[in-house]
Amino acid sequence: MDLLWESVSEQWQDSERSTNDEAGETQQGDREGRLAVLQGQLCMEEPTGKGAWPVIIPGPRVKIRLGDKLLTGPTVLESIEGLSIEVQQEPPVSDFEIIVSRDKMEVILKTRFLAGRKYALCDAEYQQRLCLKAQTVASVPAKAIDPRLVLARLAEKGIRPELIETTQVTQACLGREDVEVIVARGVKPVPPVDGRVEMVCDLKTRVPNAAEGDRVDILDRGRFNSVNAGDVLAVLHHPVPGTPGMNVYGEEVSPPAPRQPRLAAGSGVKLVKNGTMAVAEVTGRPILRRGVLQVSPQLVIGQNVDVSTGNVEFKGDVVVLGDVQESLTVKAGGSVNIHGSVYHAHILAEADVSIADKLIGGSVSAGIKQPGLAKAVKLLHSLDRDLEYLVAIFRQLKEHPKLSVRDLSLRGDGYLVKLILEARLAQVPKKFARLVELLAGEDLDSSEDGLARTMGGIKTTALRFLGAAPLEFNSIEEVAREKIHLKAFAAELEQALDMAADVAVHYCQNAKLEATGSITITGPLAYDCDVVAGDALRMSGACRSGVYAASSGIFAETVGSHGMGKTALFVSEQGVIGAERFYPGVRLRIGPVETVIEEECCNRLFYLREGRLASRKYQQGGAAC
């Protein structure tokens, strides 16, 4: 019995112990493993039961190695033994760059300073997936750059030491700021003085008197600008070369070649003094066209051009005091001025064409293409007289016994020049300001280097007479020289202007008109015509039937009509079309965009905006529908 009780007791105890163990396991359950960062140290709790093992993930600026292996993504850890953690630091940056300009005349030092950052591992609570992150704990200031390093780099590049501005180098290196400074400069060459052609004669066109008797009378020049045989027309001033400079490498920099002006003699002109002076060989009108100076006699027709005169062909200007009859042709190398009408005839001119009365049938063709500069030329001629008057007043006042010579010796001649402009010639600065405004609006082709240079010279001279600039004149001789320059500039502009031609007619019907400049129809009607204008087309009256084209704009009182043929108006993409009344059926085309007026409209100006046809109010004569 004792043995039996002992056996039963042991089995019961074993059964109790097994039951307690199973209960203990059930109470403890499955627990996941966890990781934490405490005071910068990685800690780990292993999982129990079937709990998930911890996962470690490297974050930004944190590198984790398990032995020799770099962990690049989420990794399951069994133990943290053999695990190393590295936090990457951001060191400060102190750097510089040497830049040499394209023309090798300047050296630029570009510095870059960037403060560094010190990072430490962020603490984190226990979690199954732990991403190690770094946080900024301190900022590390950038160090100054040793100027000797920059000087050594400049020496390596071959920069001349005497051209280096060491003060700029030191300030940029020690300033610890991002800067770009010029630390070496070459010696710029002294620019040359361009040669120039001084126009002695006046090139302005005049209106002739009517010739009496003979068909051609070159002696009766009337109000035409003219010169006599032997008169000096122009003088050539040779250029003065510039002085070479030196770039930052010590290499010689040659100045640009001075402009060598062209003095070419055409018909009626002779060059003397080794080609430096142009003299008239005949009596007539001096003309500067396309760089060639010539003297052309005037041709005045004191009657109608008809069967008795035959066709007229002349290299200069032609003035017809009567009409041009049917089937006749008038051809001129200059302008054509017809005081009467043209009936089914042909007019061809390289300059302007003016018809005082009617153009019925036939054709008119005028000029070759060139931007218009007429207003600027007129201002230059007016300023030439004003400056001549200014010089005369100055010299007269300076010789006056009551003038304070001591005051002028202290303030300079420019003081007296400014006083004269303010008291006697207030219009001169206004004219110069207007001149600058006109030339600023010119849009020249990039190939017209000579004309662009002329306009630049005019603007430079004009600025010397604006505001307080006249005070900078050291002597009146400078004003006199500026007057000579402006006269030469006027001649060059007239040369360019001579290549653009306008047409003016009072009335036209069933005719063809072409002009490189503007076309103006001053009368009540343009009917069934074919018109092409290189600039603007302006019609004071009605425009009925026909095709009318222009570059910058077409303007009329009325366009089209009820049942009187088709009317079409064309302008360039930048052009405009305006009229006080448009009738239905009128076809408009601005650049590539075309439309037909479907309903009568008043006071509209059509133009392109963002590639689409648009319009706004046009008020020329106040017409009402």
Side-chain angles (χ1 to χ4, degrees):
M1 289 295 291
D2 292 336
L3 290 174
L4 179 61
W5 174 256
E6 184 178 349
S7 175
V8 171
S9 179
E10 287 178 359
Q11 291 179 3
W12 180 83
Q13 289 177 358
D14 289 341
S15 176
E16 272 306 303
R17 193 180 301 114
S18 176
T19 302
N20 290 337
D21 289 343
E22 290 178 2
E25 288 182 3
T26 303
Q27 290 175 2
Q28 185 175 3
D30 298 332
R31 188 178 63 187
E32 62 183 12
R34 296 187 300 171
L35 296 171
V37 178
L38 303 177
Q39 296 182 354
Q41 298 296 321
L42 181 65
C43 302
M44 176 177 173
E45 291 182 352
E46 292 187 0
T48 61
K50 298 178 182 179
W53 286 84
V55 176
I56 193 168
I57 304 170
R61 310 198 68 84
V62 177
K63 286 187 176 180
I64 306 174
R65 294 182 182 274
L66 186 59
D68 295 333
K69 181 181 178 182
L70 178 65
L71 305 183
T72 58
T75 303
V76 177
L77 290 183
E78 294 183 56
S79 172
I80 61 174
E81 292 183 6
L83 193 72
S84 63
I85 300 172
E86 178 187 353
V87 179
Q88 293 180 316
Q89 306 300 323
E90 185 176 329
V93 175
S94 300
D95 197 9
F96 69 90
E97 182 182 2
I98 302 294
I99 303 172
V100 180
S101 62
R102 288 188 178 182
D103 59 2
K104 302 178 183 179
M105 296 300 291
E106 292 181 346
V107 178
I108 299 171
L109 172 62
K110 184 177 181 180
T111 61
R112 179 172 173 262
F113 295 94
L114 185 62
R117 293 182 180 180
K118 189 174 181 180
Y119 293 89
L121 200 62
C122 295
D123 284 353
E125 297 293 334
Y126 277 99
Q127 48 192 292
Q128 192 268 331
R129 291 177 63 90
L130 176 62
C131 179
L132 298 185
K133 298 180 181 179
Q135 63 182 355
T136 303
V137 296
S139 177
V140 182
K143 296 181 180 180
I145 299 172
D146 188 346
R148 293 173 295 181
L149 297 176
V150 177
L151 295 176
R153 185 77 60 83
L154 291 172
E156 291 176 4
K157 288 183 172 289
I159 307 302
R160 298 282 294 194
E162 65 271 19
L163 301 177
I164 298 175
E165 301 178 12
T166 55
T167 302
Q168 295 287 356
V169 174
T170 303
Q171 291 177 353
C173 291
L174 304 182
R176 300 188 186 185
E177 294 181 358
D178 295 352
V179 295
E180 291 187 23
V181 294
I182 298 174
V183 295
R185 301 175 190 268
V187 180
K188 292 186 178 182
V190 178
V193 178
D194 290 339
R196 61 184 178 87
V197 175
E198 177 188 355
M199 298 303 303
V200 179
C201 63
D202 193 347
L203 298 175
K204 186 168 61 175
T205 304
R206 305 293 180 90
V207 178
N209 291 324
E212 296 180 2
D214 297 336
R215 181 165 61 94
V216 178
D217 185 6
I218 62 174
L219 297 178
D220 183 12
R221 295 180 296 276
R223 291 180 290 161
F224 276 93
N225 176 43
S226 62
V227 294
N228 295 319
D231 287 349
V232 176
L233 305 178
V235 177
L236 175 65
H237 296 274
H238 289 296
V240 178
T243 304
M246 180 177 65
N247 64 21
V248 294
Y249 297 109
E251 302 167 342
E252 182 179 288
V253 178
S254 301
R259 179 188 176 193
Q260 180 65 50
R262 177 174 177 243
L263 181 59
S267 60
V269 178
K270 181 179 181 180
L271 298 181
V272 299
K273 281 194 173 184
N274 296 323
T276 62
M277 186 174 290
V279 178
E281 286 189 311
V282 298
T283 298
R285 176 193 170 205
I287 301 172
L288 182 64
R289 183 174 292 126
R290 301 168 199 163
V292 179
L293 188 61
Q294 51 188 294
V295 175
S296 176
Q298 303 299 318
L299 176 62
V300 179
I301 308 297
Q303 62 180 71
N304 294 340
V305 175
D306 53 21
V307 177
S308 63
T309 62
N311 293 329
V312 177
E313 184 174 353
F314 190 66
K315 293 182 179 180
D317 297 340
V318 174
V319 177
V320 179
L321 301 181
D323 300 333
V324 180
Q325 299 292 345
E326 186 172 353
S327 301
L328 271 296
T329 299
V330 177
K331 185 177 181 181
S335 62
V336 174
N337 186 355
I338 299 171
H339 289 201
S341 299
V342 177
Y343 299 99
H344 301 282
H346 304 284
I347 311 298
L348 299 91
E350 289 189 13
D352 297 345
V353 174
S354 175
I355 302 173
D357 204 352
K358 298 182 289 293
L359 171 64
I360 307 297
S363 64
V364 174
S365 178
I368 55 177
K369 290 186 176 179
Q370 177 64 40
L373 301 169
K375 292 182 179 179
V377 172
K378 290 180 180 178
L379 275 177
L380 286 173
H381 286 310
S382 176
L383 285 167
D384 181 68
R385 295 189 296 270
D386 291 336
L387 294 185
E388 183 177 357
Y389 189 38
L390 171 61
V391 173
I393 294 176
F394 180 94
R395 290 172 176 164
Q396 184 180 4
L397 288 176
K398 200 165 184 181
E399 295 174 358
H400 199 281
K402 293 185 178 180
L403 183 68
S404 174
V405 179
R406 180 178 177 277
D407 190 39
L408 285 181
S409 64
L410 294 175
R411 301 193 180 188
D413 286 353
Y415 177 69
L416 181 55
V417 170
K418 194 167 190 314
L419 285 178
I420 296 172
L421 289 174
E422 292 176 350
R424 298 288 299 275
L425 296 171
Q427 76 275 13
V428 171
K430 294 180 181 179
K431 290 181 181 179
F432 274 117
R434 175 59 177 159
L435 189 62
V436 172
E437 181 183 345
L438 284 173
L439 296 182
E442 289 296 330
D443 183 17
L444 293 175
D445 188 272
S446 58
S447 63
E448 297 289 341
D449 294 333
L451 187 55
R453 186 178 300 180
T454 298
M455 294 175 63
I458 294 174
K459 293 177 184 177
T460 301
T461 299
L463 293 176
R464 299 199 68 185
F465 292 86
L466 298 178
L471 295 174
E472 299 179 5
F473 282 114
N474 295 319
S475 69
I476 194 61
E477 299 305 323
E478 292 186 28
V479 178
R481 285 195 294 270
E482 295 295 353
K483 174 184 176 298
I484 294 174
H485 292 161
L486 287 178
K487 192 168 185 177
F489 291 146
E492 294 179 12
L493 287 187
E494 281 189 323
Q495 173 189 353
L497 185 63
D498 199 39
M499 300 172 69
D502 299 335
V503 171
V505 60
H506 181 67
Y507 171 92
C508 59
Q509 176 181 332
N510 301 109
K512 182 176 181 180
L513 294 87
E514 294 178 306
T516 58
S518 297
I519 295 179
T520 304
I521 302 172
T522 60
L525 180 63
Y527 177 73
D528 198 23
C529 294
D530 184 359
V531 181
V532 178
D535 190 4
L537 169 60
R538 295 179 175 85
M539 294 171 281
S540 300
C543 170
R544 299 176 185 170
S545 184
V547 179
Y548 304 83
S551 178
S552 63
I554 299 178
F555 310 93
E557 183 180 20
T558 63
V559 178
S561 61
H562 291 295
M564 290 187 66
K566 297 181 179 180
T567 306
L569 279 62
F570 307 138
V571 296
S572 66
E573 191 170 356
Q574 292 76 31
V576 296
I577 300 175
E580 296 176 7
R581 185 187 300 269
F582 289 90
Y583 284 96
V586 174
R587 184 158 58 103
L588 305 179
R589 187 174 71 200
I590 302 179
V593 180
E594 185 171 334
T595 188
V596 176
I597 302 295
E598 296 182 357
E599 296 181 359
E600 183 175 331
C601 58
C602 294
N603 301 324
R604 303 310 299 168
L605 183 72
F606 293 92
Y607 58 97
L608 280 189
R609 182 169 61 190
E610 299 179 354
R612 302 181 66 179
L613 195 67
S615 70
R616 61 175 181 266
K617 185 176 181 181
Y618 171 76
Q619 192 74 26
Q620 184 179 39
C625 288

